[in-house]
Amino acid sequence: MDIDTKRRALVGAILGGVATGSALSPVRSYLRRFAPLSGSAWRSATDRPQGTVESPHGPATLRYDDHGVPNVSAADERALYFAVGYAQARDRLFQLDLQRRLMRGQLSAVVGDAAFESDEFHVKMDFAGAAEATWRHLRGTDTAPVVRAFADGVNAYVENEPLPLEFGLLSYEPAAWTPADTLLMEKQISWELTGSFRTLRRATVAEKLGAEAARELYPARLDHDAPIVREGGDGGTAARESPPDRAVGSDLVEWLADFESDPGVGSNSWVVSGEHTASGNPIVANDPHLSLMAPPVWYEMNLRASDAGVRGVTFPGVPFVVIGENDAGAWGFTNTGADVIDFYRYETDGDRYRYRGEWREFDVDIRTVAVADGEDREVTVRKTVHGPYLEREGEQVGVAWTGHTATETTLAVHRYATSEGVEDVLAATRHFDLPTQNLVYADRDGETLFYVTGRIPVRTVDGERVRGDRIFDGSAGEAEWRGFEPFGVSSWEGFVPFEEKPHVRNPAYLATANQRVTDDPYLSEAYASPYRGQRIYELLDERANSDRPVTPAFVEEMQADALDGRARDLVPELVRAADGADGLQSAVETLSGWDYRMDRDSRAALLFAHWFDAFREEALGAAFERADLGEAYHPRDWVVAHLDGQRWFGDGSRRAAMVRALRSAVTTVEEEGYETYGDYNDTAAITHPFDQSFLNYPAVPTDGSSQTVNNYRVESAVGSSWRMVCPVGGESVAVLPGGNSGDYFSEHYRDQLRAWADVEYKSMTRELRGEETVTFEEARR
């Protein structure tokens, strides 16, 4: 099929199709408003230009390598990042604009009334106001000119080149990109990693099922032996359990649940010192687990200004490499899970709320949300001294989130790029306010480092330190954060000091997989199930205690590991329970000989995946249905695996529930016609926001589950969004789940998908490669 025929087929298919909803993206089901086949849509479906571009910031060169990665070079940083902005717009402009519209509450303006509830939430949370506060705070720093230059580069592309196909189909043009938009992307990333309404769900469960059930489903500590810091940690003390709380209303909670971080968001990373490697130099590995989509959430870049080079990935709209390596070292991140959001009740009287014995007026702003093909709608934004005030169906709650103030993470990420060793990285990390992350780092001097980033609030009630897992009395000023100024500049005095946050200097090896960091009971409200963390430490311990060194090849094998700890813990019990049960002997035999690996060609893996879902339903379904609680209230898999007792299994037993779940799994597998796990576990879930077959990725079978190191969750399209192995001083490798280009007609739209599915890699060299595509010349005055 020639390219012109392919374009016609694509446009025709989209215009004649219906976009279906999916959990992957909150905007997917909104993209139903397509323009007629028009000149603008047709012009958008054209090859990208090449040539010369004027730059007000000086000369630069843009090349693309064999995998569509922009290789950008310049003598001056501003010239470099002008070219980076141009490249990102060239490759991901629709993605940039879609993310910006989501966070500003401007989706309805292009897709219609279906997006209004999303816009209402984002306007009331005023993420844009927090981004503006951050830009005002950063304007005097050495990072500000670079952020401005990046915005200039994005706008240069928009002003001079054809827009991507999606703009023609939705019949609109993007507004100019601003520095505040870049900082809004920082807020989006941070919200996706730390924005959780788990406290509100816990309160709802406590009200409907009782306080004991809430403690069992949402325990403060998961009882396992694989924390991140295994030696030299705090030791910890028991935190007083929060008292039962009155729920804020399920209508409000269920509305908010659509806009919080995906419970599957996580990541793996580990660092191994030269003491245990074949080369004598450290190795850093990282694979962040985020929503998978077409194009990917990450964008890879290879940049060089003067003699300093950096390569890795960023989020479209962010100028700087977030995860990657430079000439001195390599770094990666995983989510800490620290509790950085609190909720408040207030005594109210109309437009007033009571605070510390006085009545105060809400800070009120009426904002207009534009709606395509409909009437514009007004949204009332209310704020208290703590932050946004959210209302729904007569229920209200105040919110304090560390992202609702001026933050300096953009400074930190900028400085990582030019860091020359561990001291520079530590100095930069002091500015990393948000989100809370587990940083791992290693450098050419042999230094290794683990450090928790981000501002972590200290909460006290009546002089006693408390956890943040309850709704506080905002009128009394209960547990509020000293030095926190919503939509201003915070002093952060009521937060954990940098030196006291968990960290380890020069660990021999250390692994993070979103499990609890230490036994500090106040650090987090919700760690991940420990299965991935246990497995990574198991593999590293075994290697360290052998006579075989850690090599890059071994680290790649670790990233491909598909052993599921849930299966290893539960399947022996399941086999004993189901042995001899009518009609289940074949399933029992299949599971009995299994190695617990979620491999694509395994039938046992297929049965287990459906069995665990059925077992969760057996344990929670009846109680949740009676209480009118949906899937949003499900606890972590570790909790489900350890549930027992009459509360959860009614008049039956855990053993009987296991057998019933296996019958259900066998029936589902037969009805769906699956033979092996790969028939079910494939990449068809990774789709474009339009969710059309032409734009979506093809179905490629792959391995892994929600609880394996090789992480893929087909039911929610979450998984390893970037895999990177960096042997310091050696040849680094990486892979994306798709391709680096967002242009459907590019050969790099999905050229890495099969390699990603097979856990194969491409080079991550910092050498500049590729033929010159665009030359940036000093603008004539």
Side-chain angles (χ1 to χ4, degrees), residues 221-474:
R221 182 184 189 277
L222 299 184
D223 188 18
H224 63 82
D225 59 357
I228 292 173
V229 181
R230 299 192 296 180
E231 296 179 3
D234 293 344
T237 57
R240 179 165 59 91
E241 285 282 355
S242 295
D245 210 345
R246 181 176 66 83
V248 299
S250 57
D251 286 338
L252 175 61
V253 176
E254 289 171 12
W255 177 60
L256 295 175
D258 288 338
F259 311 112
E260 65 182 332
S261 58
D262 190 302
V265 165
S267 301
N268 303 321
S269 70
W270 56 96
V271 59
V272 181
S273 74
E275 175 186 347
H276 291 289
T277 66
S279 66
N281 294 324
I283 299 176
V284 169
N286 191 197
D287 58 294
H289 308 157
L290 298 171
S291 292
L292 305 179
M293 62 185 72
V297 66
W298 294 104
Y299 178 77
E300 187 177 2
M301 310 184 297
N302 186 24
L303 314 178
R304 184 161 290 275
S306 299
D307 295 327
V310 61
R311 179 166 185 158
V313 287
T314 188
F315 296 96
V318 175
F320 310 116
V321 167
V322 176
I323 294 173
E325 66 174 346
N326 64 7
D327 298 338
W331 59 93
F333 295 100
T334 66
N335 210 22
T336 303
D339 187 0
V340 297
I341 186 168
D342 275 351
F343 304 95
Y344 301 91
R345 302 183 191 282
Y346 303 91
E347 183 183 352
T348 61
D349 178 20
D351 290 332
R352 302 187 305 168
Y353 68 100
R354 196 163 183 81
Y355 177 68
R356 293 188 176 274
E358 297 179 352
W359 287 100
R360 294 196 176 195
E361 298 286 333
F362 284 105
D363 180 0
V364 179
D365 187 17
I366 308 297
R367 302 190 187 177
T368 299
V369 173
V371 179
D373 297 332
E375 295 292 328
D376 292 352
R377 299 174 66 170
E378 289 187 343
V379 173
T380 301
V381 179
R382 286 187 172 88
K383 298 175 184 175
T384 72
V385 293
H386 302 114
Y389 186 70
L390 303 180
E391 304 168 86
R392 192 76 170 178
E393 303 297 334
E395 295 286 344
Q396 306 87 21
V397 68
V399 181
W401 176 56
T402 53
H404 273 136
T405 188
T407 50
E408 298 182 348
T409 297
T410 298
L411 289 180
V413 177
H414 181 203
R415 292 171 185 178
Y416 286 153
T418 56
S419 60
E420 296 185 357
V422 69
E423 296 301 335
D424 286 350
V425 168
L426 281 168
T429 303
R430 287 181 177 274
H431 296 280
F432 203 118
D433 298 329
L434 181 82
T436 47
Q437 296 282 283
N438 302 310
L439 164 70
V440 295
Y441 173 80
D443 65 23
R444 62 191 172 192
D445 297 324
E447 295 272 357
T448 57
L449 177 71
F450 160 78
Y451 222 109
V452 168
T453 75
R455 301 290 184 173
I456 302 170
V458 175
R459 305 162 173 93
T460 59
V461 175
D462 296 330
E464 180 182 358
R465 190 173 180 186
V466 299
R467 293 171 53 82
D469 58 353
R470 67 199 238 204
I471 304 170
F472 295 109
D473 184 347

